[in-house]
Amino acid sequence: MIARDVEDAGMKICLLGQFGSGNTGNDGSLEAMVNFLRSLPFEAELMCICSNPELVEKEYKIKSIGISGLVLQDPWFIRMNAFLADIPRRIASIYMLFASLSGVGLLIIPGTGILDDFQEMPFGWPFVLFRWCLAARLRGANIAFVSIGAGPIEHPLSRWFLRSAARMAQYRSYRDSYSLAYMKRIGLSVERDGLFPDIAFRLPVPSFPSPGYNSPVTVGVGVMDYRGWSKDAVFGEAIYRSYIGKLASFIQWLLDEGHNVRLLTGDERDWKAVGDITERLSVPARDRPEERITVEHGATLHDLMREIGKTDIVVVTRYHNVVCALKLARPTISLGYAQKNDELLAQYDQHACQHIETFDVEVLKDQTRRMLADLNQVHLELARANARVQRQLFIQEKLLEEAVIGPLFTAQFAISL
C-alpha cells in the first residue's frame, strides 16, 4: 500500500454512491449519512463521488465530482485525446482518481444495495466501486460500507469486483441478514461485520396525525419500470407488459371496491410505468377521477413519506418505498424483485410478500382484504418495531463515531503536532 504523505493528511470524508441519478432511495441514504456526519463533534470536509455531481452539490452543499474523478478540461488535451483515439484520457483517468482523493482519510459507502448487479454490467457500477476502493486504499484512506445491501450478483466478473471492493474495507455492516450471509457465501470473511437497519430510517419524519382508517380507504400502490433483473434481459419487455397488466387489474379492483388509490414512484424512470397503468384504468362516471386516483411527483424520500402519510396501507415494489411505509407505520404488502424486501418486512414481523414477476392478483386481493381487516393492530406492531430500529441505528452511529471516525481525527491531530 502507498502511504499517504504527511502534507496530504488534511481530514476529508468522501461519500461514494449512485447519488443524483433520480433514485429517491439512494439520495435518501446520502442525506441520512450527511446529517449524521454534520452532527459529529469533529470538523471534516465532506465530498461526494456520484452520478450527478452538479445536482448533489446543489442539494446537499457538498463538493462533488463524477465517478470518473477530476476531469482534465484543457483545450489542448481535448484535441490531443481526440487525435489519439481516447488513449490519453484513459491513462490520465488513473492519475485523476488518485488526485481526486487527495487528503481523504475515510471513504464511506452509505446504505443502498450497492453490492448487487441489478440492471448493471460488470464494467458499470461494480467496476466503479472496485476502482475507487482500490484508489482509496492505495492512498492510505480507510473504507466503510455502512448498512449496505448485498446480492444477488449474477455475473462472475461483477461478483469479483464487488467482493474485492468489500474486502478492502475496515468497517462493514449490512442492512439485513440475507446480505451478510450472501457475502459470506461468495467468499468474504464476515466474522467482524455488523448487522444494522437501513440508514434511511434515520431521516426525519414529516408530522402526520395517526391514521384513522376512515372510509374511503386510500391504498398507496408503488409503480416501477421493471423489466427483469439483468440489464439485457431477453424477455424484459414481456416481463414489463405482464407486470403492468396485472398491477392495473389489481388497481382497477381497488377502485371498484370503493377505495381511493395513490400511485407512488421511486425513480424518474417509473413515470413511463405510471402512464402505461393509468391509461388502462377507468373510474365510474359518478366519481371525479382526480379524487379517486392521485399521482404526485415524489422527488425525495421526504416527498414520498408525505405521500404515504396520506394512505392507509401500501402495496409497493421499490425497497425504499417499503422503508418509508414502515417508518410511517403503514401496513405494507411487497411485490419485490429481490430478497431484500422480504428481509426488511420480516424485521417488522410482516410477511405479506410476493415476487414482482410471478405475483398472483387474487392472492394480492386476499392479502389486501386481510390487512384492511386488522389495520389498528398492525399499526401498533409497526410503531413498536420502529422504536427498536431507531435504537439499533443509534448504536451504529456511536460505533462509527468512536471506533471508525474518531481515531482518524486523533491520528490527524497527532500528525499536525
Side-chain angles (χ1 to χ4, degrees):
M1 177 170 42
I2 300 174
R4 206 156 41 99
D5 296 333
V6 172
E7 65 267 22
D8 197 34
M11 185 58 180
K12 294 181 185 177
I13 296 178
C14 182
L15 306 166
L16 170 63
Q18 299 182 44
F19 309 126
S21 63
N23 184 290
T24 58
N26 290 349
D27 291 353
S29 297
L30 172 64
E31 181 182 349
M33 180 55 68
V34 169
N35 289 347
F36 163 65
L37 293 173
R38 285 176 172 163
S39 74
L40 295 175
F42 311 115
E43 291 187 11
E45 177 185 347
L46 302 183
M47 63 178 287
C48 187
I49 302 164
C50 56
S51 305
N52 188 337
E54 293 80 11
L55 179 63
V56 168
E57 197 158 308
K58 177 182 176 183
E59 292 294 324
Y60 303 102
K61 306 299 184 288
I62 308 172
K63 176 184 176 182
S64 301
I65 60 175
I67 58 175
S68 298
L70 298 173
V71 178
L72 290 173
Q73 298 182 345
D74 184 274
W76 175 86
F77 177 82
I78 293 173
R79 289 194 298 270
M80 180 184 70
N81 184 63
F83 178 74
L84 296 177
D86 203 36
I87 294 175
R89 184 195 64 80
R90 294 176 182 273
I91 296 173
S93 68
I94 300 173
Y95 166 78
M96 301 312 287
L97 242 60
F98 290 98
S100 300
L101 294 172
S102 175
V104 170
L106 177 63
L107 176 67
I108 298 178
I109 295 87
T112 79
I114 200 163
L115 294 181
D116 69 32
D117 61 351
F118 176 65
Q119 292 290 298
E120 286 290 340
M121 303 299 286
F123 283 95
W125 268 94
F127 179 65
V128 168
L129 184 65
F130 166 75
R131 69 175 188 166
W132 276 109
C133 286
L134 180 60
R137 293 303 298 132
L138 293 175
R139 263 286 187 182
N142 287 349
I143 301 169
F145 285 77
V146 181
S147 290
I148 51 90
I153 312 171
E154 295 191 345
H155 197 287
L157 184 55
S158 296
R159 195 176 305 128
W160 187 89
F161 282 143
L162 295 174
R163 181 179 59 236
S164 299
R167 187 170 281 148
M168 288 184 260
Q170 285 72 37
Y171 177 90
R172 291 185 299 265
S173 67
Y174 306 94
R175 64 191 184 189
D176 55 59
S177 56
Y178 170 83
S179 296
L180 186 149
Y182 182 84
M183 294 306 292
K184 180 179 181 179
R185 191 161 67 248
I186 66 171
L188 188 70
S189 175
V190 299
E191 285 73 17
R192 299 176 62 184
D193 295 356
L195 195 60
F196 294 98
D198 192 284
I199 60 174
F201 279 109
R202 287 297 264 173
L203 290 174
V205 178
S207 178
F208 295 116
S210 296
Y213 310 123
N214 297 317
S215 182
V217 165
T218 298
V219 181
V221 180
V223 178
M224 182 178 178
D225 184 17
Y226 179 81
R227 299 166 189 273
W229 182 270
S230 301
K231 194 169 187 176
D232 56 351
V234 176
F235 301 108
E237 188 60 29
I239 291 171
Y240 176 76
R241 288 198 304 269
S242 173
Y243 159 68
I244 292 295
K246 289 194 292 184
L247 194 62
S249 173
F250 170 69
I251 295 172
Q252 187 63 60
W253 172 78
L254 291 173
L255 295 170
D256 294 342
E257 289 288 300
H259 306 316
N260 290 340
V261 174
R262 186 169 289 270
L263 299 184
L264 310 168
T265 62
D267 194 290
E268 291 290 338
R269 293 173 295 181
D270 295 340
W271 284 95
K272 173 175 172 39
V274 168
D276 289 343
I277 282 178
T278 53
E279 70 180 15
R280 295 170 180 241
L281 302 176
S282 63
V283 175
R286 66 179 183 277
D287 295 335
R288 299 177 62 181
E290 66 273 15
E291 294 179 353
R292 301 297 313 282
I293 308 174
T294 308
V295 186
E296 297 288 344
H297 188 278
T300 68
L301 287 191
H302 299 287
D303 296 334
L304 182 59
M305 282 190 279
R306 278 187 282 270
E307 289 303 302
I308 292 175
K310 300 171 186 176
T311 69
D312 297 299
I313 73 169
V314 298
V315 179
V316 290
T317 291
R318 287 194 177 274
Y319 178 83
H320 281 94
N321 280 201
V322 180
V323 168
C324 289
L326 294 175
K327 187 173 176 63
L328 297 179
R330 292 308 190 266
T332 304
I333 299 171
S334 165
L335 300 179
Y337 57 85
Q339 185 69 21
K340 56 187 178 182
N341 284 21
D342 299 21
E343 290 284 325
L344 178 55
L345 282 172
Q347 291 174 24
Y348 279 73
D349 198 27
Q350 304 296 306
H351 306 282
C353 309
Q354 294 193 67
H355 194 279
I356 189 172
E357 293 184 27
T358 58
F359 76 91
D360 184 292
V361 175
E362 294 305 316
V363 171
L364 183 57
K365 291 177 184 178
D366 185 57
Q367 290 173 322
T368 303
R369 291 190 194 98
R370 284 188 278 115
M371 195 162 283
L372 288 173
D374 200 19
L375 286 177
N376 287 315
Q377 180 60 35
V378 175
H379 173 70
L380 290 173
E381 292 172 359
L382 296 180
R384 285 195 293 267
N386 268 320
R388 182 181 69 249
V389 165
Q390 293 303 314
R391 289 193 298 270
Q392 292 170 333
L393 285 172
F394 177 76
I395 291 170
Q396 175 166 240
E397 288 176 353
K398 297 302 292 183
L399 180 61
L400 289 170
E401 178 181 348
E402 296 171 2
V404 178
I405 301 173
L408 291 175
F409 278 87
T410 301
Q412 177 207 5
F413 179 73
I415 289 175
S416 67
L417 294 179

